[in-house]
């Protein structure tokens, strides 16, 4: 099978043996796999400290496709079933940017009905990251939350999911994206480029109860949070100093098939917007990665076989 890998900062498609599922695992024939910023970081070697020296590493976190084989002990899934999943282990020789993907069933859920594989592939990594970030904040209905990068992949889901939980959302994004983020559920809007602290406090006196920093704004976004509030940094290692007794944490994404099924159900009923910026064949992965690296993409770039 073909697998997209990185070696010394260069993308390479290599032939690998067909992977066999072990106990509690399924093999998925990839129909769509999203390109995320973490894939660029892996390609460029920025995450090597997490997994040690490797001649080459596999790429890709999200996948949508059909189950074509199952290992011993698998229940709840069927051959030929359309599923979505996330590969959350770094440093593997092959991940989801490949013809075939083997995952633990705990990292897999049925794909939403009425949604294309390309659309479904945008859910796992960004949806779980947004959902787990909201969990970290520990807020309750009626409280307020700032979401930076609110028009991005993680930020957009965070706005929708937070609003669905009854949180009042302040969205920070480009002025051109105000209509989009309000449609996703934001009550207030702050344009990118404004100083988040005073701008948010003008809207929410005393500051918001929590913040999800999907745009790596850092300490400036923390200034918008009230004393004793909560702050979730989406990118590992970017959490600011916890001033004013703020609870500060990084969101370290983990596979969660149960939560993934909940996200799929929201997408199936139209309560989670799935945005696709375009598709590229696996053989044109370099072009897809280049689009993501150039930035400014609204929606996800997705690889197809």
């Amino acid at each position: 099978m073909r697998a997209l890998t990185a070696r010394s900062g260069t993308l390479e498609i290599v032939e690998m043996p067909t992977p066999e599922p072990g106990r509690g695992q399924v093999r998925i024939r990839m129909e769509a796999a999203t390109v995320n910023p973490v894939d660029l970081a892996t390609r460029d070697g920025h995450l090597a400290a997490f997994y040690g020296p490797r001649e080459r590493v596999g790429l890709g976190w999200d996948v949508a496709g059909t189950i074509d084989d199952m290992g011993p002990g698998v229940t709840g899934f069927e051959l030929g079933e359309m599923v979505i999943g996330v590969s959350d282990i770094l440093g593997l020789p092959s991940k989801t940017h490949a013809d075939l993907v083997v995952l633990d069933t705990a990292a897999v859920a049925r794909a939403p009905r009425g949604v294309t594989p390309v659309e479904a592939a945008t859910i796992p990594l960004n949806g779980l990251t947004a959902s787990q970030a909201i969990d970290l904040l520990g807020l309750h209905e009626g409280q307020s939350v700032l979401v930076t990068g609110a028009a991005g992949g993680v930020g957009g889901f965070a706005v929708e999911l937070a609003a669905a939980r009854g949180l009042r959302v302040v969205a920070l994004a480009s002025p051109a994206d105000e209509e989009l983020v309000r449609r996703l559920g934001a009550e207030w809007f702050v344009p990118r480029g404004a100083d988040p602290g005073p701008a948010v406090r003008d809207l929410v006196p005393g500051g918001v109860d929590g913040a999800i920093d999907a745009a790596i704004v850092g300490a400036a976004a923390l200034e918008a949070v009230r004393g004793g509030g909560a702050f979730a940094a989406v990118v590992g290692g970017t959490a600011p100093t916890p001033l004013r007794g703020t609870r500060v944490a990084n969101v370290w994404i983990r596979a969660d098939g149960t939560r993934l099924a909940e996200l799929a159900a929201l997408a199936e009923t139209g309560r989670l917007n799935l945005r696709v910026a375009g598709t590229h064949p696996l053989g044109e992965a370099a072009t897809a990665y280049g689009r993501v690296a150039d930035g400014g993409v609204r929606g996800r770039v997705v690889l197809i076989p």
Side-chain angles (χ1 to χ4, degrees):
M1 70 156 192
R2 298 173 302 163
L4 183 67
T5 66
R7 182 169 66 172
S8 302
T10 301
L11 297 176
E12 295 182 347
I13 294 179
V14 299
E15 287 292 329
M16 290 190 173
T18 298
E20 301 297 333
R23 177 167 293 277
Q25 294 183 320
V26 295
R27 188 173 68 199
I28 302 166
R29 184 166 296 278
M30 187 270 280
E31 296 187 31
T34 308
V35 179
N36 291 286
V38 67
D39 298 311
L40 274 62
T42 303
R43 176 199 63 184
D44 296 338
H46 298 317
L47 303 181
F50 292 101
Y51 53 78
R54 299 281 194 282
E55 181 181 357
R56 68 172 73 242
V57 293
L59 296 161
W61 287 63
D62 298 303
V63 66
T66 54
I67 295 176
D68 80 341
D69 197 7
M70 298 188 294
V74 172
T75 60
F77 293 99
E78 299 178 359
L79 290 174
E81 187 171 25
M82 177 68 67
V83 295
I84 55 177
V86 61
S87 175
D88 65 353
I89 300 175
L90 290 166
L92 296 176
S94 174
K95 284 172 61 72
T96 68
H97 293 171
D99 290 321
L100 297 167
V101 182
V102 170
L103 293 175
D104 295 338
T105 54
V108 176
R110 290 184 179 86
R113 290 172 295 184
V115 169
T116 68
V118 168
E119 293 168 326
T122 66
I123 298 173
L125 177 61
N126 292 321
L128 286 174
T129 301
S131 183
Q132 290 168 9
I134 297 170
D135 290 345
L136 276 178
L137 297 181
L139 304 181
H140 57 73
E141 185 175 353
Q143 289 190 291
S144 56
V145 60
L146 166 67
V147 178
T148 73
V154 173
F157 281 155
V159 170
E160 283 192 286
L161 294 172
R165 295 194 195 186
L167 300 178
R168 304 177 70 188
V169 179
V170 184
L172 189 154
S174 165
D177 291 317
E178 180 175 2
E179 180 182 350
L180 167 65
V181 297
R182 288 191 182 277
R183 189 168 70 247
L184 295 177
E187 181 175 346
W188 299 288
F189 178 79
V190 172
R192 187 174 63 213
D195 188 344
V200 171
R201 287 171 182 267
D202 281 346
L203 299 171
V204 185
V208 288
D209 298 297
I212 297 173
D213 189 16
I216 325 179
V217 175
L222 184 71
E223 290 299 293
V225 181
R226 64 168 175 81
F231 186 100
V234 168
V235 178
T238 63
T241 301
L243 303 176
R244 301 183 307 283
T246 307
R247 291 184 293 107
V248 172
N250 281 112
V251 183
W252 298 104
I253 170 68
R254 67 185 184 279
D256 183 341
T258 300
R259 182 63 60 86
L260 198 52
E262 295 171 359
L263 294 170
L266 289 173
E268 191 170 298
T269 56
R271 290 177 290 167
L272 194 66
N273 281 268
L274 309 180
R275 296 176 291 150
V276 176
T279 61
H280 295 271
L282 183 61
E284 298 176 8
T287 300
Y289 273 62
R291 287 188 63 189
V292 177
D294 287 342
V297 177
R298 289 295 172 259
R300 282 301 182 224
V301 176
V302 182
L303 296 175
I304 56 177

